[in-house]
Amino acid sequence: MFQKTLKVMKTLKNHMILFDAECPMCRVYTHAFVKTGMLDHNGRSSYQEETHAGTCPVYDRQRAVNEIALINLESGEVTYGVKSLFKIIANTWPVFAPLFAFKPFIWLMSKVYAFISYNRRVIIPAAETGFEYQPTFKLHYRLLYLLFTWFCTGFILTAYAHLLVGVVPLGNPYREYLICGGQVLFQGAAICSFDRRNLWTYLGNMMTISFAGSLLLLIGLGMSHLFQLSPVVYTLYFMAVAGLMFLEHIRRTKLLGLGWVLTVTWVTYRIVLLLLILNLN
């Protein structure tokens, strides 16, 4: 049934989407557009390549780095960002066309798109190729990302803390938010001591790790609604997640060329806080 659905999808012909080859997310979803027939088999190219230069030599290259560009190969018309995605989706599913033309919805989704796009290199990092054009850094979107991940992580950890009672004392409702926020400040101070230039890049990566770890804890929270398990089991699972976060922290700091100092301070902060929690309650 799924294969039949793919075959009847309407293809947006004579268009090429320019994606970021250094962005794993971009590679995946643009490949999906081609794989499902929403675009021609040659309907995608990375903007790092020069093979598309003749198709539309006047497109805004820096804007295409920030907002994915969709080029009409016949007219040379270029759309950017969420409008490019809307054009592809509406061509396949015309039922969404009125929604995609609704200005308040366009405005809202453009902000969501920008939030993801300007933070994509800290959500899923990859080794840079040294290409001339790189995503523009916008501080307000990075701060918003830090606040979003901080709140979500604190919220999930607060819920998970109830499963650890008997092994780890339950604190006040704000404890996990304070711990998570404190680590941002602590690690921010640590990186400023030797590489202030990478401050916001590192903090974005660090909070992605925390957020990803908290999402893994949702599995434990889900299990708690199905089974009555010992707090020791949930504690062991928490430690396993922390171990994965530790490995991911090492991987990301290596990609950023930041060495081992930040991993040491990251672990030290957590160990000191754990000892304080165990001994002061």
Side-chain angles (χ1 to χ4, degrees):
M1 179 65 73
F2 181 68
Q3 292 294 333
K4 290 181 179 179
T5 302
L6 295 184
K7 289 180 180 179
V8 299
M9 277 191 175
K10 186 179 179 182
T11 301
L12 183 62
K13 297 183 179 296
N14 298 313
H15 281 73
M16 178 179 288
I17 195 165
L18 303 182
F19 67 95
D20 181 1
E22 297 176 3
C23 169
M25 286 190 300
C26 306
R27 293 200 302 267
V28 169
Y29 78 76
T30 55
H31 176 72
F33 285 153
V34 174
K35 186 72 173 178
T36 57
M38 297 173 76
L39 288 173
D40 285 322
H41 70 278
N42 59 347
R44 68 191 283 265
S45 176
S46 71
Y47 60 67
Q48 285 91 344
E49 297 177 11
E50 293 298 325
T51 54
H52 62 268
T55 61
C56 185
V58 295
Y59 76 92
D60 187 331
R61 282 168 167 73
Q62 184 58 58
R63 187 177 179 185
V65 173
N66 296 329
E67 307 172 59
I68 196 161
L70 180 68
I71 302 173
N72 185 322
L73 300 179
E74 291 184 337
S75 67
E77 178 190 10
V78 185
T79 55
Y80 297 93
V82 74
K83 291 184 179 179
S84 297
L85 305 183
F86 284 174
K87 188 173 183 179
I88 296 170
I89 297 170
N91 180 75
T92 302
W93 294 295
V95 68
F96 290 114
L99 176 63
F100 293 163
F102 186 50
K103 289 185 178 180
F105 182 74
I106 295 173
W107 178 86
L108 176 63
M109 295 311 296
S110 67
K111 297 303 179 185
V112 173
Y113 177 89
F115 174 76
I116 297 172
S117 180
Y118 287 112
N119 289 299
R120 67 183 188 268
R121 295 290 179 87
V122 299
I123 295 174
I124 304 180
E128 293 186 1
T129 61
F131 185 66
E132 177 183 1
Y133 295 95
Q134 293 296 325
T136 303
F137 172 71
K138 293 200 173 183
L139 180 59
H140 61 285
Y141 279 115
R142 186 58 47 82
L143 290 173
L144 185 61
Y145 181 74
L146 295 179
L147 287 171
F148 172 78
T149 50
W150 163 77
F151 176 79
C152 292
T153 301
F155 182 82
I156 295 172
L157 285 173
T158 299
Y160 196 87
H162 290 82
L163 303 180
L164 306 180
V165 175
V167 178
V168 179
L170 185 66
N172 66 62
Y174 306 107
R175 185 183 72 185
E176 304 304 329
Y177 294 98
L178 293 173
I179 291 174
C180 188
Q183 178 132 60
V184 174
L185 298 177
F186 185 79
Q187 291 297 99
I191 191 172
C192 281
S193 68
F194 68 94
D195 191 355
R196 186 182 294 270
R197 182 177 60 87
N198 278 311
L199 170 65
W200 298 111
T201 300
Y202 169 72
L203 290 180
N205 275 278
M206 186 194 75
M207 287 308 296
T208 298
I209 296 170
S210 296
F211 182 52
S214 68
L215 292 179
L216 288 176
L217 293 181
L218 290 176
I219 297 174
L221 285 168
M223 293 291 289
S224 69
H225 292 290
L226 301 174
F227 306 101
Q228 292 291 333
L229 300 176
S230 166
V232 175
V233 174
Y234 294 114
T235 302
L236 290 174
Y237 180 68
F238 182 88
M239 292 173 64
V241 170
L244 292 175
M245 292 169 61
F246 172 69
L247 295 176
E248 180 62 8
H249 191 277
I250 293 173
R251 186 184 76 86
R252 289 185 181 234
T253 49
K254 282 186 177 180
L255 278 176
L256 295 173
L258 294 174
W260 289 92
V261 173
L262 292 171
T263 298
V264 172
T265 56
W266 185 82
V267 172
T268 301
Y269 177 87
R270 290 170 176 267
I271 291 176
V272 170
L273 261 293
L274 177 60
L275 292 175
L276 289 174
I277 290 171
L278 293 176
N279 288 284
L280 295 180
N281 287 276

PDB file of all heavy atoms in Angstrom, residues 164 167-169 175 179 235 238-239 267-281:
ATOM      1  N   LEU A 164      13.220   7.886  41.152  1.00  0.00           N
ATOM      2  CA  LEU A 164      14.494   7.564  41.804  1.00  0.00           C
ATOM      3  C   LEU A 164      14.408   7.612  43.325  1.00  0.00           C
ATOM      4  O   LEU A 164      15.402   7.336  44.006  1.00  0.00           O
ATOM      5  CB  LEU A 164      15.578   8.542  41.332  1.00  0.00           C
ATOM      6  CG  LEU A 164      15.776   8.678  39.817  1.00  0.00           C
ATOM      7  CD1 LEU A 164      16.883   9.684  39.525  1.00  0.00           C
ATOM      8  CD2 LEU A 164      16.095   7.334  39.178  1.00  0.00           C
ATOM      9  N   VAL A 167      16.619   5.937  46.186  1.00  0.00           N
ATOM     10  CA  VAL A 167      18.043   5.909  45.835  1.00  0.00           C
ATOM     11  C   VAL A 167      18.600   7.328  45.844  1.00  0.00           C
ATOM     12  O   VAL A 167      19.651   7.594  46.424  1.00  0.00           O
ATOM     13  CB  VAL A 167      18.271   5.258  44.455  1.00  0.00           C
ATOM     14  CG1 VAL A 167      19.756   5.288  44.087  1.00  0.00           C
ATOM     15  CG2 VAL A 167      17.747   3.829  44.429  1.00  0.00           C
ATOM     16  N   VAL A 168      17.868   8.226  45.194  1.00  0.00           N
ATOM     17  CA  VAL A 168      18.243   9.645  45.157  1.00  0.00           C
ATOM     18  C   VAL A 168      17.111  10.442  45.792  1.00  0.00           C
ATOM     19  O   VAL A 168      15.951  10.295  45.391  1.00  0.00           O
ATOM     20  CB  VAL A 168      18.476  10.127  43.711  1.00  0.00           C
ATOM     21  CG1 VAL A 168      18.838  11.610  43.696  1.00  0.00           C
ATOM     22  CG2 VAL A 168      19.568   9.303  43.041  1.00  0.00           C
ATOM     23  N   PRO A 169      17.410  11.272  46.789  1.00  0.00           N
ATOM     24  CA  PRO A 169      16.356  12.047  47.461  1.00  0.00           C
ATOM     25  C   PRO A 169      15.632  12.971  46.487  1.00  0.00           C
ATOM     26  O   PRO A 169      16.231  13.507  45.547  1.00  0.00           O
ATOM     27  CB  PRO A 169      17.126  12.853  48.514  1.00  0.00           C
ATOM     28  CG  PRO A 169      18.412  12.122  48.702  1.00  0.00           C
ATOM     29  CD  PRO A 169      18.740  11.517  47.377  1.00  0.00           C
ATOM     30  N   ARG A 175      14.562  22.066  41.523  1.00  0.00           N
ATOM     31  CA  ARG A 175      15.942  21.584  41.622  1.00  0.00           C
ATOM     32  C   ARG A 175      16.548  21.252  40.260  1.00  0.00           C
ATOM     33  O   ARG A 175      17.669  21.682  39.951  1.00  0.00           O
ATOM     34  CB  ARG A 175      16.011  20.342  42.523  1.00  0.00           C
ATOM     35  CG  ARG A 175      17.445  19.867  42.768  1.00  0.00           C
ATOM     36  CD  ARG A 175      17.489  18.602  43.602  1.00  0.00           C
ATOM     37  NE  ARG A 175      17.041  17.437  42.845  1.00  0.00           N
ATOM     38  CZ  ARG A 175      16.900  16.223  43.380  1.00  0.00           C
ATOM     39  NH1 ARG A 175      17.137  16.036  44.669  1.00  0.00           N
ATOM     40  NH2 ARG A 175      16.498  15.212  42.631  1.00  0.00           N
ATOM     41  N   ILE A 179      19.767  22.909  38.413  1.00  0.00           N
ATOM     42  CA  ILE A 179      20.954  22.122  38.073  1.00  0.00           C
ATOM     43  C   ILE A 179      21.292  22.276  36.592  1.00  0.00           C
ATOM     44  O   ILE A 179      22.446  22.498  36.215  1.00  0.00           O
ATOM     45  CB  ILE A 179      20.735  20.634  38.419  1.00  0.00           C
ATOM     46  CG1 ILE A 179      20.686  20.447  39.938  1.00  0.00           C
ATOM     47  CG2 ILE A 179      21.833  19.770  37.810  1.00  0.00           C
ATOM     48  CD1 ILE A 179      20.333  19.037  40.371  1.00  0.00           C
ATOM     49  N   THR A 235      17.260   3.969  38.293  1.00  0.00           N
ATOM     50  CA  THR A 235      18.556   4.604  38.529  1.00  0.00           C
ATOM     51  C   THR A 235      19.607   4.055  37.571  1.00  0.00           C
ATOM     52  O   THR A 235      20.411   4.810  37.008  1.00  0.00           O
ATOM     53  CB  THR A 235      19.012   4.382  39.982  1.00  0.00           C
ATOM     54  OG1 THR A 235      18.021   4.899  40.878  1.00  0.00           O
ATOM     55  CG2 THR A 235      20.340   5.082  40.246  1.00  0.00           C
ATOM     56  N   PHE A 238      18.991   5.512  34.241  1.00  0.00           N
ATOM     57  CA  PHE A 238      19.463   6.899  34.242  1.00  0.00           C
ATOM     58  C   PHE A 238      20.979   6.949  34.050  1.00  0.00           C
ATOM     59  O   PHE A 238      21.499   7.777  33.285  1.00  0.00           O
ATOM     60  CB  PHE A 238      19.073   7.578  35.556  1.00  0.00           C
ATOM     61  CG  PHE A 238      19.466   9.022  35.636  1.00  0.00           C
ATOM     62  CD1 PHE A 238      18.622  10.018  35.173  1.00  0.00           C
ATOM     63  CD2 PHE A 238      20.694   9.396  36.172  1.00  0.00           C
ATOM     64  CE1 PHE A 238      18.990  11.358  35.240  1.00  0.00           C
ATOM     65  CE2 PHE A 238      21.071  10.725  36.242  1.00  0.00           C
ATOM     66  CZ  PHE A 238      20.214  11.709  35.775  1.00  0.00           C
ATOM     67  N   MET A 239      21.689   6.061  34.723  1.00  0.00           N
ATOM     68  CA  MET A 239      23.150   6.018  34.597  1.00  0.00           C
ATOM     69  C   MET A 239      23.570   5.611  33.191  1.00  0.00           C
ATOM     70  O   MET A 239      24.563   6.127  32.651  1.00  0.00           O
ATOM     71  CB  MET A 239      23.725   5.047  35.633  1.00  0.00           C
ATOM     72  CG  MET A 239      23.572   5.525  37.075  1.00  0.00           C
ATOM     73  SD  MET A 239      24.073   4.277  38.292  1.00  0.00           S
ATOM     74  CE  MET A 239      25.821   4.124  37.906  1.00  0.00           C
ATOM     75  N   VAL A 267      31.740  16.546  33.570  1.00  0.00           N
ATOM     76  CA  VAL A 267      31.604  15.411  34.494  1.00  0.00           C
ATOM     77  C   VAL A 267      31.760  15.877  35.939  1.00  0.00           C
ATOM     78  O   VAL A 267      31.000  15.456  36.826  1.00  0.00           O
ATOM     79  CB  VAL A 267      32.648  14.321  34.164  1.00  0.00           C
ATOM     80  CG1 VAL A 267      32.645  13.235  35.233  1.00  0.00           C
ATOM     81  CG2 VAL A 267      32.369  13.717  32.796  1.00  0.00           C
ATOM     82  N   THR A 268      32.732  16.743  36.184  1.00  0.00           N
ATOM     83  CA  THR A 268      32.981  17.225  37.544  1.00  0.00           C
ATOM     84  C   THR A 268      31.753  17.908  38.127  1.00  0.00           C
ATOM     85  O   THR A 268      31.372  17.673  39.285  1.00  0.00           O
ATOM     86  CB  THR A 268      34.175  18.200  37.553  1.00  0.00           C
ATOM     87  OG1 THR A 268      35.335  17.527  37.059  1.00  0.00           O
ATOM     88  CG2 THR A 268      34.437  18.725  38.959  1.00  0.00           C
ATOM     89  N   TYR A 269      31.122  18.755  37.333  1.00  0.00           N
ATOM     90  CA  TYR A 269      29.921  19.459  37.790  1.00  0.00           C
ATOM     91  C   TYR A 269      28.848  18.469  38.222  1.00  0.00           C
ATOM     92  O   TYR A 269      28.230  18.614  39.288  1.00  0.00           O
ATOM     93  CB  TYR A 269      29.396  20.359  36.669  1.00  0.00           C
ATOM     94  CG  TYR A 269      28.119  21.093  37.007  1.00  0.00           C
ATOM     95  CD1 TYR A 269      28.149  22.320  37.660  1.00  0.00           C
ATOM     96  CD2 TYR A 269      26.873  20.551  36.674  1.00  0.00           C
ATOM     97  CE1 TYR A 269      26.972  22.994  37.970  1.00  0.00           C
ATOM     98  CE2 TYR A 269      25.696  21.209  36.983  1.00  0.00           C
ATOM     99  CZ  TYR A 269      25.750  22.433  37.628  1.00  0.00           C
ATOM    100  OH  TYR A 269      24.582  23.092  37.940  1.00  0.00           O
ATOM    101  N   ARG A 270      28.635  17.447  37.418  1.00  0.00           N
ATOM    102  CA  ARG A 270      27.580  16.476  37.712  1.00  0.00           C
ATOM    103  C   ARG A 270      27.903  15.635  38.945  1.00  0.00           C
ATOM    104  O   ARG A 270      27.019  15.342  39.756  1.00  0.00           O
ATOM    105  CB  ARG A 270      27.345  15.583  36.487  1.00  0.00           C
ATOM    106  CG  ARG A 270      26.683  16.336  35.341  1.00  0.00           C
ATOM    107  CD  ARG A 270      26.650  15.556  34.043  1.00  0.00           C
ATOM    108  NE  ARG A 270      25.920  16.317  33.038  1.00  0.00           N
ATOM    109  CZ  ARG A 270      24.627  16.193  32.781  1.00  0.00           C
ATOM    110  NH1 ARG A 270      23.909  15.303  33.460  1.00  0.00           N
ATOM    111  NH2 ARG A 270      24.035  16.922  31.867  1.00  0.00           N
ATOM    112  N   ILE A 271      29.156  15.253  39.087  1.00  0.00           N
ATOM    113  CA  ILE A 271      29.539  14.443  40.249  1.00  0.00           C
ATOM    114  C   ILE A 271      29.414  15.252  41.538  1.00  0.00           C
ATOM    115  O   ILE A 271      28.883  14.766  42.547  1.00  0.00           O
ATOM    116  CB  ILE A 271      30.975  13.908  40.082  1.00  0.00           C
ATOM    117  CG1 ILE A 271      31.016  12.865  38.959  1.00  0.00           C
ATOM    118  CG2 ILE A 271      31.475  13.294  41.387  1.00  0.00           C
ATOM    119  CD1 ILE A 271      32.407  12.343  38.654  1.00  0.00           C
ATOM    120  N   VAL A 272      29.885  16.486  41.503  1.00  0.00           N
ATOM    121  CA  VAL A 272      29.803  17.343  42.691  1.00  0.00           C
ATOM    122  C   VAL A 272      28.349  17.571  43.089  1.00  0.00           C
ATOM    123  O   VAL A 272      27.984  17.481  44.275  1.00  0.00           O
ATOM    124  CB  VAL A 272      30.517  18.687  42.444  1.00  0.00           C
ATOM    125  CG1 VAL A 272      30.218  19.670  43.577  1.00  0.00           C
ATOM    126  CG2 VAL A 272      32.017  18.473  42.311  1.00  0.00           C
ATOM    127  N   LEU A 273      27.483  17.844  42.108  1.00  0.00           N
ATOM    128  CA  LEU A 273      26.062  18.062  42.407  1.00  0.00           C
ATOM    129  C   LEU A 273      25.419  16.805  42.976  1.00  0.00           C
ATOM    130  O   LEU A 273      24.609  16.871  43.912  1.00  0.00           O
ATOM    131  CB  LEU A 273      25.329  18.503  41.141  1.00  0.00           C
ATOM    132  CG  LEU A 273      25.073  20.008  40.981  1.00  0.00           C
ATOM    133  CD1 LEU A 273      24.093  20.499  42.032  1.00  0.00           C
ATOM    134  CD2 LEU A 273      26.363  20.809  41.063  1.00  0.00           C
ATOM    135  N   LEU A 274      25.779  15.644  42.430  1.00  0.00           N
ATOM    136  CA  LEU A 274      25.216  14.390  42.932  1.00  0.00           C
ATOM    137  C   LEU A 274      25.626  14.151  44.384  1.00  0.00           C
ATOM    138  O   LEU A 274      24.799  13.762  45.224  1.00  0.00           O
ATOM    139  CB  LEU A 274      25.674  13.223  42.058  1.00  0.00           C
ATOM    140  CG  LEU A 274      25.215  11.826  42.506  1.00  0.00           C
ATOM    141  CD1 LEU A 274      23.689  11.742  42.527  1.00  0.00           C
ATOM    142  CD2 LEU A 274      25.808  10.751  41.607  1.00  0.00           C
ATOM    143  N   LEU A 275      26.891  14.397  44.690  1.00  0.00           N
ATOM    144  CA  LEU A 275      27.364  14.215  46.066  1.00  0.00           C
ATOM    145  C   LEU A 275      26.656  15.168  47.022  1.00  0.00           C
ATOM    146  O   LEU A 275      26.301  14.789  48.147  1.00  0.00           O
ATOM    147  CB  LEU A 275      28.881  14.422  46.129  1.00  0.00           C
ATOM    148  CG  LEU A 275      29.731  13.359  45.409  1.00  0.00           C
ATOM    149  CD1 LEU A 275      31.207  13.752  45.438  1.00  0.00           C
ATOM    150  CD2 LEU A 275      29.526  11.990  46.053  1.00  0.00           C
ATOM    151  N   LEU A 276      26.437  16.390  46.579  1.00  0.00           N
ATOM    152  CA  LEU A 276      25.723  17.361  47.420  1.00  0.00           C
ATOM    153  C   LEU A 276      24.283  16.921  47.658  1.00  0.00           C
ATOM    154  O   LEU A 276      23.762  17.020  48.781  1.00  0.00           O
ATOM    155  CB  LEU A 276      25.751  18.742  46.759  1.00  0.00           C
ATOM    156  CG  LEU A 276      27.101  19.469  46.755  1.00  0.00           C
ATOM    157  CD1 LEU A 276      27.017  20.754  45.947  1.00  0.00           C
ATOM    158  CD2 LEU A 276      27.549  19.772  48.189  1.00  0.00           C
ATOM    159  N   ILE A 277      23.636  16.423  46.620  1.00  0.00           N
ATOM    160  CA  ILE A 277      22.246  15.971  46.757  1.00  0.00           C
ATOM    161  C   ILE A 277      22.150  14.800  47.730  1.00  0.00           C
ATOM    162  O   ILE A 277      21.257  14.744  48.588  1.00  0.00           O
ATOM    163  CB  ILE A 277      21.676  15.574  45.377  1.00  0.00           C
ATOM    164  CG1 ILE A 277      21.485  16.820  44.504  1.00  0.00           C
ATOM    165  CG2 ILE A 277      20.350  14.832  45.523  1.00  0.00           C
ATOM    166  CD1 ILE A 277      21.134  16.511  43.060  1.00  0.00           C
ATOM    167  N   LEU A 278      23.090  13.866  47.620  1.00  0.00           N
ATOM    168  CA  LEU A 278      23.054  12.674  48.467  1.00  0.00           C
ATOM    169  C   LEU A 278      23.389  12.983  49.921  1.00  0.00           C
ATOM    170  O   LEU A 278      22.898  12.305  50.834  1.00  0.00           O
ATOM    171  CB  LEU A 278      24.028  11.620  47.929  1.00  0.00           C
ATOM    172  CG  LEU A 278      23.681  11.006  46.565  1.00  0.00           C
ATOM    173  CD1 LEU A 278      24.782  10.063  46.107  1.00  0.00           C
ATOM    174  CD2 LEU A 278      22.340  10.267  46.628  1.00  0.00           C
ATOM    175  N   ASN A 279      24.208  13.999  50.140  1.00  0.00           N
ATOM    176  CA  ASN A 279      24.676  14.272  51.504  1.00  0.00           C
ATOM    177  C   ASN A 279      23.921  15.382  52.218  1.00  0.00           C
ATOM    178  O   ASN A 279      23.999  15.490  53.444  1.00  0.00           O
ATOM    179  CB  ASN A 279      26.169  14.621  51.480  1.00  0.00           C
ATOM    180  CG  ASN A 279      27.037  13.404  51.195  1.00  0.00           C
ATOM    181  OD1 ASN A 279      27.251  12.559  52.058  1.00  0.00           O
ATOM    182  ND2 ASN A 279      27.533  13.306  49.968  1.00  0.00           N
ATOM    183  N   LEU A 280      23.209  16.202  51.464  1.00  0.00           N
ATOM    184  CA  LEU A 280      22.502  17.317  52.095  1.00  0.00           C
ATOM    185  C   LEU A 280      21.023  17.035  52.297  1.00  0.00           C
ATOM    186  O   LEU A 280      20.288  17.881  52.790  1.00  0.00           O
ATOM    187  CB  LEU A 280      22.675  18.590  51.257  1.00  0.00           C
ATOM    188  CG  LEU A 280      24.110  19.128  51.159  1.00  0.00           C
ATOM    189  CD1 LEU A 280      24.145  20.387  50.302  1.00  0.00           C
ATOM    190  CD2 LEU A 280      24.678  19.413  52.550  1.00  0.00           C
ATOM    191  N   ASN A 281      20.565  15.864  51.878  1.00  0.00           N
ATOM    192  CA  ASN A 281      19.149  15.527  52.040  1.00  0.00           C
ATOM    193  C   ASN A 281      18.990  14.366  53.026  1.00  0.00           C
ATOM    194  O   ASN A 281      19.873  13.576  53.216  1.00  0.00           O
ATOM    195  CB  ASN A 281      18.550  15.134  50.684  1.00  0.00           C
ATOM    196  CG  ASN A 281      18.375  16.344  49.779  1.00  0.00           C
ATOM    197  OD1 ASN A 281      17.400  17.060  49.859  1.00  0.00           O
ATOM    198  ND2 ASN A 281      19.357  16.579  48.898  1.00  0.00           N
TER     199      ASN A 281
END
